[in-house]
Amino acid sequence: MTVAELVTDGFDRIRQVVHGAVRGLTEDQLARRLDEEANSIAWLVWHLTRVQDDHLADLEGAEQVWTSQGWHERFGLTLDPADTGYGHSAAQVASVRVSGDLLTGYHDAVHAQTVAWLSGLEESQLDRIVDENWDPPVSLGVRLVSVLSDDLQHAGQAAFVRGILLRG
């Protein structure tokens, strides 16, 4: 197994959890929060996809799918196009109300771009420094693991919220 195949498998698993968390839910169910401060499934999936889109576009030196493919307009959110959800208030979390098809459509578009970029990833590239704002500086490999970890946690949270909502 190559490093590209390994990392792609991780992103494939995130995609599966995202689809499972969203499948068959209404826009109201996707926006429901367990309490006033909790994140909804819609926000969690939107946020994890925005983070993946933002960070991977930065790594490959490309424009984000969010803007390049018109997803920002389709979502119709009042948020800045560069917003990934980091540090959102409860009101901002509540503002993410969209359909499951829109959520999974955007996620699938980001996943496709991610997989295409990863297909050319070589092990020798993992040590390249991509962010000098940290001590120690962040390598490409560390950034990929960071995105995988963050996305898996949020996908798991979305699946957990789904389970609670469906138990009623």
Side-chain angles (χ1 to χ4, degrees), residues 32-52:
R32 194 165 304 143
R33 297 158 68 197
L34 301 181
D35 68 35
E36 293 176 1
E37 299 298 317
N39 296 324
S40 66
I41 294 170
W43 185 88
L44 287 162
V45 170
W46 170 81
H47 168 66
L48 75 85
T49 307
R50 288 292 299 122
V51 167
Q52 183 177 331

Side-chain angles (χ1 to χ4, degrees), residues 1-141:
M1 178 176 266
T2 67
V3 68
E5 291 167 335
L6 177 69
V7 177
T8 297
D9 184 70
F11 283 107
D12 287 345
R13 290 169 192 243
I14 293 164
R15 183 177 174 272
Q16 290 170 1
V17 175
V18 162
H19 276 261
V22 169
R23 185 177 303 112
L25 297 181
T26 66
E27 187 173 313
D28 285 342
Q29 289 171 312
L30 291 167
R32 194 165 304 143
R33 297 158 68 197
L34 301 181
D35 68 35
E36 293 176 1
E37 299 298 317
N39 296 324
S40 66
I41 294 170
W43 185 88
L44 287 162
V45 170
W46 170 81
H47 168 66
L48 75 85
T49 307
R50 288 292 299 122
V51 167
Q52 183 177 331
D53 191 8
D54 175 77
H55 287 33
L56 272 286
D58 185 56
L59 291 176
E60 64 182 293
E63 186 179 352
Q64 295 178 29
V65 170
W66 184 242
T67 52
S68 70
Q69 295 182 17
W71 290 99
H72 177 257
E73 290 81 14
R74 283 182 252 183
F75 271 67
L77 303 176
T78 59
L79 304 168
D80 183 287
D83 196 334
T84 63
Y86 181 77
H88 267 190
S89 67
Q92 289 170 308
V93 169
S95 75
V96 179
R97 288 189 57 91
V98 294
S99 72
D101 287 343
L102 199 58
L103 286 167
T104 56
Y106 174 48
H107 188 81
D108 288 349
V110 170
H111 180 75
Q113 182 152 319
T114 298
V115 170
W117 180 75
L118 287 172
S119 69
L121 183 64
E122 302 278 334
E123 184 177 348
S124 62
Q125 297 172 283
L126 296 177
D127 290 329
R128 177 173 62 94
I129 300 302
V130 297
D131 190 346
E132 303 234 1
N133 294 317
W134 299 92
D135 185 21
V138 177
S139 68
L140 187 145

